[in-house]
Amino acid sequence: MFSPSSPPAGLLEKVFQYIDLHQDEFVQTLKEWVAVESDSVQPLPHLRQEVFRMMALAAEQLRCLGASVDSVDSGFQQLPDGQTLPIPPIILAELGNDPKKPTVCFYGHLDVQPARREDGWLTDPYTLTEVDGKLYGRGATDNKGPVLAWINAVSTFRALEEDLPVNIKFIIEGMEEAGSVALEELVRKEKDRFFSSVDYIIISDNLWLTQRKPALTYGTRGNSYFRVEVKCRDQDFHSGTFGGILHEPMADLVALLGSLVDSSGHILIPGIYDQVAPLTEEERKLYKAIDLDLEEYRNSSRVERFLFDTKEEILMHLWRYPSLSIHGIEGAFDEPGAKTVIPGQVIGKFSIRLVPHMNTSVVEKQVKQHLEHVFSKRNSSNQMAVSMMLGLQPWIANIKDNQYLAAKRAIKTVFGTEPDMIRDGSTIPIAKIFQDSIQKSVMMLPLGAVDDGEHSQKEKINRWNYIEGSKLFAAFFLEMAKLR
């Protein structure tokens, strides 16, 4: 529950005024962070050293705020080609341990996707460049900007010599873009130590649904990724010599992939919808309240027509219903020109985005049974094998948790509007890891606009989002302090 007590008169105004006056300094720090080529994806020693440098820079910044900082050694990463690379340390930092205050833990990452000027960037991706209030650079929105916005909020209270309204902890990694190597193990190991006093966990690693209206994210879809292999022999065939007398692997595979989903997007695997949580009237109202211009959304997506015509149907099929996507075929001829080859072996790849209360092991069994049944009806002499390469569960939070109420109030204070309550159609495993391992409330509080272009050649964060986001985190601390 919220207590009626308020922060000292004028404190919020002082905090906001300080952030406004020092925004150029905050942008300069972001520029320094973006300049570090902390690419964790490409397994190159010099890039891995850059990630280490980025983690050291952040650890030093946190120490300057007075935080106690532990840079946890994470060992080595074994790569498929046999080489090993050191895993960057995971930062565990804390400020304050007042038992009367709630303890809020912020998760962020400081590694980035690869970026090169010649890939289509208009400016050097590692030189933060401001154009019309937009701060372009790799990592600006994913995730260096939001991490710094949290630090900006903390540093503002420190600069004003005001007591921090809450106890704050940080967990910051440098391998998120490469699958968060070593993170889950550390979270489980620290459950009864570092995380024992944590009441709430905040993640700011996703985007708003629109360009100007803030959002709170309370759910993500999971992902089951499959490969289905059909094999006749190791070598390819000449279609003039063997065409017409074989069960061709490609024909079998196309039939298998074509049996998974129909033209309206409905998944054809028996039983796949059985575990999907029923739609409640309360949930239906959430979709109705969301501010989404369908025409603008369609135009910005450069799509002629979606499968559904209403805002509510589109959002529900993006967030609360499963979807199946076919990603590609390995082993097929895919180059320009004409090559009369019959592939001897092909591998199809597809995935299913999972929603509450679907379970990866149940889905795996349903997919295998379905494909085996379809394949058996073809009476093919080829060999068929199905395997699940990846199984990540969906995550959903209780939007009535105290921190969601506090975040709503903070958003109203800073932006003058209620947030869109949204889910994310993609998969962010860390939310589920925290929820299952620590069993505390997890919330996603995004700062970036929908057009921030994370992972793209035009990644940016708006100066407005970055600075107002810093205010939002400060206001959120004060709202959390009102919790009994």
Side-chain angles (χ1 to χ4, degrees):
M1 294 294 295
F2 283 89
S3 72
S5 63
S6 298
L11 176 56
L12 198 63
E13 288 77 10
K14 275 167 63 181
V15 165
F16 287 3
Q17 186 178 38
Y18 181 92
I19 291 171
D20 279 333
L21 287 171
H22 292 81
Q23 61 177 286
D24 287 344
E25 292 168 35
F26 296 149
V27 170
Q28 178 59 32
T29 306
L30 180 57
K31 186 170 189 169
E32 291 163 12
W33 280 28
V34 166
V36 181
E37 196 175 345
S38 50
D39 171 0
S40 65
V41 177
Q42 298 184 83
L44 301 172
H46 78 278
L47 290 175
R48 189 55 59 87
Q49 285 308 310
E50 284 292 275
V51 185
F52 270 77
R53 187 161 75 90
M54 185 67 249
M55 301 309 289
L57 201 63
E60 183 55 33
Q61 185 128 359
L62 290 168
R63 285 190 189 96
C64 288
L65 288 177
S68 63
V69 180
D70 186 7
S71 293
V72 182
D73 182 7
S74 302
F76 288 84
Q77 178 187 19
Q78 185 77 41
L79 298 165
D81 64 1
Q83 74 163 318
T84 58
L85 284 175
I87 299 170
I90 296 170
I91 294 172
L92 299 178
E94 48 191 309
L95 269 163
N97 56 2
D98 185 340
K100 299 190 198 70
K101 296 177 182 176
T103 298
V104 180
C105 181
F106 178 85
Y107 162 84
H109 70 89
L110 298 176
D111 58 317
V112 299
Q113 285 280 321
R116 298 180 309 162
R117 178 77 183 261
E118 53 267 37
D119 291 337
W121 286 79
L122 296 176
T123 56
D124 173 17
Y126 295 104
T127 302
L128 192 73
T129 305
E130 184 165 8
V131 181
D132 298 330
K134 297 175 171 64
L135 303 166
Y136 289 95
R138 177 58 88 224
T141 197
D142 183 20
N143 185 228
K144 293 177 181 180
V147 172
L148 269 176
W150 189 272
I151 291 173
N152 297 343
V154 174
S155 69
T156 297
F157 283 95
R158 284 281 188 256
L160 294 170
E161 298 182 348
E162 293 286 352
D163 190 33
L164 271 172
V166 292
N167 302 316
I168 291 174
K169 294 197 175 194
F170 291 85
I171 175 167
I172 302 174
E173 65 160 326
M175 289 293 284
E176 191 271 348
E177 303 292 0
S180 292
V181 180
L183 183 69
E184 185 171 359
E185 184 185 346
L186 178 73
V187 170
R188 294 192 195 285
K189 200 192 303 185
E190 292 289 338
K191 177 187 174 185
D192 298 321
R193 193 190 72 86
F194 181 78
F195 292 107
S196 63
S197 60
V198 169
D199 299 304
Y200 306 98
I201 294 163
I202 312 293
I203 300 168
S204 186
D205 190 21
N206 59 321
L207 303 174
W208 298 348
L209 190 62
T210 65
Q211 291 184 28
R212 297 292 289 184
K213 190 174 181 189
L216 276 174
T217 306
Y218 64 95
T220 61
R221 292 196 287 191
N223 193 8
S224 289
Y225 199 106
F226 293 89
R227 76 196 295 270
V228 52
E229 179 179 352
V230 181
K231 181 178 179 179
C232 180
R233 70 175 192 184
D234 291 330
Q235 295 86 27
D236 293 344
F237 298 91
H238 189 295
S239 66
T241 309
F242 289 93
I245 63 169
L246 291 178
H247 290 112
E248 296 190 10
M250 182 68 95
D252 283 343
L253 181 61
V254 168
L256 291 169
L257 295 177
S259 76
L260 295 170
V261 63
D262 68 16
S263 61
S264 67
H266 185 81
I267 303 173
L268 300 173
I269 299 163
I272 202 79
Y273 291 97
D274 290 354
Q275 294 178 295
V276 175
L279 177 66
T280 64
E281 193 53 43
E282 187 178 10
E283 187 190 341
R284 194 190 298 274
K285 286 176 187 170
L286 287 176
Y287 298 115
K288 201 178 277 290
I290 286 170
D291 184 15
L292 178 69
D293 184 324
L294 262 194
E295 192 63 22
E296 182 187 296
Y297 183 57
R298 189 182 60 76
N299 289 336
S300 66
S301 305
R302 290 181 291 180
V303 171
E304 184 68 31
R305 186 166 62 92
F306 289 121
L307 290 173
F308 305 97
D309 298 321
T310 68
K311 172 185 73 174
E312 290 80 5
E313 283 180 306
I314 283 174
L315 293 176
M316 285 193 281
H317 283 87
L318 274 177
W319 298 344
R320 66 107 51 231
Y321 290 122
S323 64
L324 189 149
S325 301
I326 296 168
H327 303 299
I329 295 175
E330 194 179 316
F333 173 59
D334 65 345
E335 295 166 18
K339 185 180 178 184
T340 55
V341 66
I342 298 171
Q345 174 183 359
V346 282
I347 299 166
K349 296 176 182 179
F350 66 93
S351 70
I352 301 173
R353 293 286 177 176
L354 311 182
V355 297
H357 302 290
M358 296 172 79
N359 180 282
T360 53
S361 56
V362 174
V363 169
E364 181 181 18
K365 187 177 175 187
Q366 290 169 331
V367 167
K368 286 182 174 178
Q369 284 179 344
H370 170 73
L371 288 176
E372 284 162 3
H373 173 68
V374 172
F375 189 69
S376 69
K377 284 165 62 180
R378 289 183 62 80
N379 294 316
S380 173
S381 60
N382 293 323
Q383 297 166 291
M384 192 272 291
V386 190
S387 59
M388 188 172 76
M389 300 163 66
L390 182 72
L392 299 168
Q393 303 284 13
W395 163 75
I396 194 154
N398 179 5
I399 60 173
K400 293 177 180 170
D401 279 350
N402 279 334
Q403 67 168 342
Y404 278 89
L405 302 178
K408 276 183 166 184
R409 290 181 174 205
I411 286 169
K412 189 74 187 284
T413 298
V414 175
F415 296 101
T417 185
E418 293 289 327
D420 282 330
M421 299 301 294
I422 68 174
R423 297 200 207 178
D424 195 314
S426 58
T427 304
I428 304 174
I430 187 61
K432 185 69 174 167
I433 289 170
F434 280 137
Q435 191 178 60
D436 288 351
S437 301
I438 306 166
Q439 293 170 344
K440 299 287 170 66
S441 173
V442 179
M443 178 177 73
M444 289 191 185
L445 181 53
L447 298 188
V450 70
D451 63 345
D452 273 1
E454 51 187 1
H455 295 196
S456 80
Q457 292 93 334
K458 56 180 180 67
E459 181 179 349
K460 57 88 179 165
I461 191 168
N462 300 324
R463 177 185 277 256
W464 182 75
N465 288 73
Y466 177 49
I467 299 306
E468 297 305 299
S470 302
K471 293 179 190 174
L472 172 60
F473 287 148
F476 175 68
F477 298 162
L478 289 165
E479 289 295 346
M480 291 298 288
K482 296 178 188 176
L483 298 176
R484 283 208 194 103

